[in-house]
């Protein structure tokens, strides 16, 4: 029993190193490469992070952003970034199937990998929306429909 408690304490301590963003977290020096291998830093201009961690939410975000992105850089206009967690995807699939597709999109998708995925909490079927004010997380909402997305990205 004692060993179990020790193990649990160790796991909890390990988890604190890269704590997922939570309310009142300050985003510090999160750098993420996009689908074109360009490294982007989440800086104080960013007001909204849209985080998708499964295929369903990624597809929904893509389908919502594509028509809007024909005329303008819709994410930039909304001071938003789109982050996708592809860390669970087999590397061959991401390299030869997912990435070539993403490179055709007119907007930037920041792609989490094993080095930075712990900054975000995954939830299947939900886009997690982080609202930032000068790099501080002031709100976290979970959405799952294009209608909800339309309230955020206009």
């Amino acid at each position: 029993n004692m060993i179990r408690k020790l193990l649990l304490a160790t796991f909890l301590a390990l988890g604190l190193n890269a704590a997922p963003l939570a309310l009142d977290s300050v985003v510090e020096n999160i750098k993420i490469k996009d689908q074109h291998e360009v490294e982007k830093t989440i800086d104080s201009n960013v007001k909204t992070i849209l985080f998708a961690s499964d295929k369903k939410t990624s597809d929904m975000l893509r389908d919502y952003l594509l028509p809007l992105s024909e005329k303008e850089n819709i994410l930039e206009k909304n001071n938003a970034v789109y982050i996708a967690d592809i860390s669970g995807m087999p590397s061959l699939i991401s390299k030869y199937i997912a990435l070539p597709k993403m490179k055709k999109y007119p907007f930037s998708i920041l792609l989490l990998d094993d080095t930075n995925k712990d900054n975000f909490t995954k939830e299947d079927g939900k886009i997690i929306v982080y609202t930032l004010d000068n790099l501080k997380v002031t709100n976290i909402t979970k959405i799952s429909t294009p209608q909800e997305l339309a309230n955020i990205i206009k």
Side-chain angles (χ1 to χ4, degrees), residues 12-13 28 47 50 54 60 69 99 154:
L12 289 174
E28 283 181 82
K47 303 284 179 251
L50 301 167
D54 63 2
M60 185 180 101
S69 301
L99 276 170
K154 302 177 171 85

Side-chain angles (χ1 to χ4, degrees), residues 6-101:
L6 277 171
L7 279 174
L8 188 66
T10 312
F11 284 132
L12 289 174
L14 285 174
L16 291 176
N17 295 339
L21 288 182
L23 215 51
D24 294 333
S25 293
V26 175
V27 175
E28 283 181 82
N29 216 11
I30 297 183
K31 293 177 164 44
I32 308 174
K33 285 185 176 157
D34 72 5
Q35 73 265 47
H36 306 290
E37 291 283 306
V38 177
E39 190 175 74
K40 312 262 179 164
T41 303
I42 295 180
D43 60 23
S44 55
N45 294 322
V46 176
K47 303 284 179 251
T48 306
I49 296 173
L50 301 167
F51 174 62
S53 62
D54 63 2
K55 189 171 179 343
K56 191 178 138 194
T57 49
S58 299
D59 288 352
M60 185 180 101
L61 254 174
R62 178 203 62 206
D63 294 344
Y64 180 78
L65 292 172
L66 274 175
L68 290 174
S69 301
E70 284 172 12
K71 298 184 189 72
E72 58 191 338
N73 187 331
I74 193 72
L75 287 172
E76 220 162 75
K77 179 187 159 192
N78 284 273
N79 295 91
V81 292
Y82 166 12
I83 299 178
D85 186 349
I86 60 162
S87 63
M89 197 184 279
S91 57
L92 285 173
I93 290 181
S94 63
K95 193 173 169 183
Y96 294 108
I97 298 170
L99 276 170
K101 252 195 218 164

